[in-house]
Amino acid sequence: MRPEQLGEIAIPSDPRLHPDRERIVFVVTRLDLEDDEYKNRIWVWDDVQARPLTAGPADTSPRWSPDGSRLAFLRKGPGDDDKPQLAILDMAGGEAEVVTDFQLGVLEAEWSPDGRQIAVVAAEWIPELADLESDERKRRPRRVVRFPYRFDNVGWVADRRTHLYLVDTHSKERRQLTAGDFDESGIAWHPDGDRIAFLSARHEQRGLDAGTQAWTIDASGGTPVPQTTIGLWATPSFDPAGRLHVVGTPDRWRHPDVMPLWRIESDGGLTNLTGHLDRNIVPLAPTVAPAGPQWLDDGGAILTVEDSGSIRLMTMRGGQSIADLLGGERAITGASPDSDGSRIAFVATTPTNP
C-alpha cells in the first residue's frame, strides 16, 4: 500500500436500521489528502444499493425518527470555526434544515419516543464568557480551580459546560433541562417519554477521579435525581419495561477492569447481568456505535462483546441467558437490530478490510 492510497479507503460506521426494516443509514468517512482532513457523509442503503444521502463534509450521528419519516443528524459547516449543529431531513424530500445554533455545538442527539422532541447534549461558554466577542474572550485571563481544565486535541474545557436541552422538532424552540458547574453526556429516553437518563460527575472530587453517576430528570424539567452511587459508568439505557441499565463498575478505582452490564433495581440496588462472561460490553477501542445494549421488544438485548482481540455480537434473553450471534476474527463496531431481533444491520472491520 502506498501513502496516496489512503484516500481510497472508505470506512462505514454508526449503522441505523429504519423502522421499515429495509433501509439503513450509516456514516462513511474518507481521508481527503488534498485538504488534509477527514470527510464524513451519511449514506443510505435502500435494499437495492448504497448511495450518498447528505453532501457533508462533516455529517455524523444519524438518528431515525420513531416513525421513520425524518432523519436527525449532526452537521458541521466547512469553516474552521463552525461547530456541529442538529439538522433534520424530511425523507419525503427537500434539504436538511439546521435547527440549532449552540455556541460550541451539539455533541449528542436522541429522539423522544413520540417524535415531538429531540434531546441534545450541547456545549456553551460559561456565563462570564458567553456574551463576549471572540477576541475579548481570548484575552481574558483564566482562573482554573478544578480538573480537568484542558485536553489534547480539544484545548481548554474549563471555559465551557455541556448541558442537556430539548429541541421541539416543529417549532425548533429549545429548552434547557440541566445547568450548573457540571457536564452531562450519555442521554437515554425512558420508553414513556416522561424522563431522560444521563451521566454526570457532580461529587466534590470530580476531575480528580474518574467517577460519575447515572441520573434521571423529568422531561418537563426539575432537579436531577441520582440513580447510582459514584462509579465508572457508561451508556445508560432503558429496556422496554422502563428499567434503567448502565455499563461499568460501582468501584471508581477498579480500572482497568471488566465492564459488565448492570440493571438498576427499584430499591437502588444493582444486578450484574453479564459479570459471568468476564468480558467488556462496551469496548474501549475501537469505538462502537451504537454503543451499549440494543433492546428488543421482548426485553432481550443485542450486545457487543470484546473477546481476545475481536468484538462479536451476543444475545441476552431472560435477564442473564447469553448466546453467540455473530463472531469471527473481526471487530463488529456497530449493530442496529429491528424490534424483534430478526434483522440486524451491522458494521465489521478486519485487519485486511477496514
Side-chain angles (χ1 to χ4, degrees):
M1 185 175 188
R2 300 183 303 276
E4 61 269 20
Q5 290 179 297
L6 290 173
E8 300 174 17
I9 298 176
I11 302 176
S13 63
D14 205 358
R16 303 282 170 162
L17 184 63
H18 190 275
D20 66 10
R21 303 174 55 194
E22 300 294 340
R23 286 173 285 176
I24 307 162
V25 289
F26 53 99
V27 177
V28 173
T29 301
R30 295 180 184 270
L31 289 76
D32 188 316
L33 300 181
E34 183 175 343
D35 292 341
D36 191 25
E37 63 183 10
Y38 291 99
K39 298 291 180 67
N40 297 302
R41 300 172 73 181
I42 295 173
W43 284 51
V44 61
W45 166 264
D46 58 10
D47 204 36
V48 177
Q49 64 179 354
R51 57 180 173 82
L53 182 63
T54 68
D59 296 337
T60 60
S61 305
R63 304 288 186 270
W64 292 113
S65 63
D67 65 0
S69 65
R70 292 172 290 172
L71 182 74
F73 61 95
L74 302 187
R75 164 163 285 178
K76 178 183 179 297
D80 292 340
D81 294 330
D82 290 336
K83 306 298 180 183
Q85 302 292 345
L86 178 66
I88 300 177
L89 175 64
D90 191 329
M91 297 304 293
E95 297 291 331
E97 180 183 7
V98 175
V99 299
T100 63
D101 59 353
F102 290 99
Q103 291 174 320
L104 295 170
V106 176
L107 306 178
E108 301 177 35
E110 296 294 341
W111 289 88
S112 64
D114 62 9
R116 297 178 180 177
Q117 301 180 95
I118 298 177
V120 302
V121 171
E124 298 269 45
W125 298 111
I126 57 177
E128 53 265 39
L129 300 179
D131 297 327
L132 300 180
E133 295 293 332
S134 177
D135 289 343
E136 175 62 21
R137 189 181 295 119
K138 293 177 182 177
R139 286 194 295 265
R140 284 290 178 97
R142 293 176 170 87
R143 181 172 181 262
V144 176
V145 297
R146 185 178 295 279
F147 289 106
Y149 63 93
R150 65 177 296 129
F151 286 111
D152 289 346
N153 297 322
V154 175
W156 294 94
V157 294
D159 55 7
R160 65 202 64 190
R161 293 290 175 265
T162 58
H163 290 311
L164 179 60
Y165 300 79
L166 287 182
V167 178
D168 188 285
T169 60
H170 295 288
S171 70
K172 313 305 186 293
E173 294 180 355
R174 74 189 196 197
R175 178 163 51 90
Q176 186 169 347
L177 286 185
T178 61
D181 189 28
F182 314 109
D183 295 290
E184 286 82 53
S185 64
I187 49 179
W189 283 89
H190 188 277
D192 292 339
D194 59 349
R195 58 191 182 273
I196 301 168
F198 61 91
L199 299 176
S200 183
R202 300 184 171 217
H203 55 290
E204 185 59 33
Q205 297 300 309
R206 64 187 182 277
L208 296 176
D209 62 50
T212 188
Q213 288 175 272
W215 304 73
T216 57
I217 189 170
D218 286 347
S220 59
T223 301
V225 179
Q227 302 298 315
T228 65
T229 57
I230 302 166
L232 294 178
W233 301 121
T235 58
S237 63
F238 289 98
D239 67 12
R243 296 175 297 187
L244 182 59
H245 295 70
V246 287
V247 174
T249 172
D251 186 347
R252 66 184 121 164
W253 305 111
R254 289 183 66 87
H255 179 77
D257 197 8
V258 172
M259 299 294 171
L261 176 66
W262 303 74
R263 183 174 63 234
I264 303 173
E265 307 296 355
S266 57
D267 61 0
L270 293 168
T271 299
N272 189 338
L273 299 179
T274 64
H276 58 291
L277 277 181
D278 194 33
R279 296 292 185 271
N280 281 333
I281 301 303
V282 178
L284 295 178
T287 301
V288 173
Q294 302 301 304
W295 296 101
L296 309 177
D297 285 346
D298 63 1
I302 305 297
L303 308 173
T304 52
V305 178
E306 184 179 24
D307 182 32
S308 302
S310 299
I311 301 174
R312 67 179 193 260
L313 290 186
M314 305 188 79
T315 57
M316 182 178 70
R317 304 280 184 176
Q320 294 175 299
S321 177
I322 298 177
D324 271 312
L325 182 62
L326 290 171
E329 294 184 354
R330 58 185 176 178
I332 295 175
T333 55
S336 176
D338 63 3
S339 59
D340 63 5
S342 62
R343 174 170 284 198
I344 301 173
F346 71 96
V347 170
T349 180
T350 72
T352 58
N353 187 354

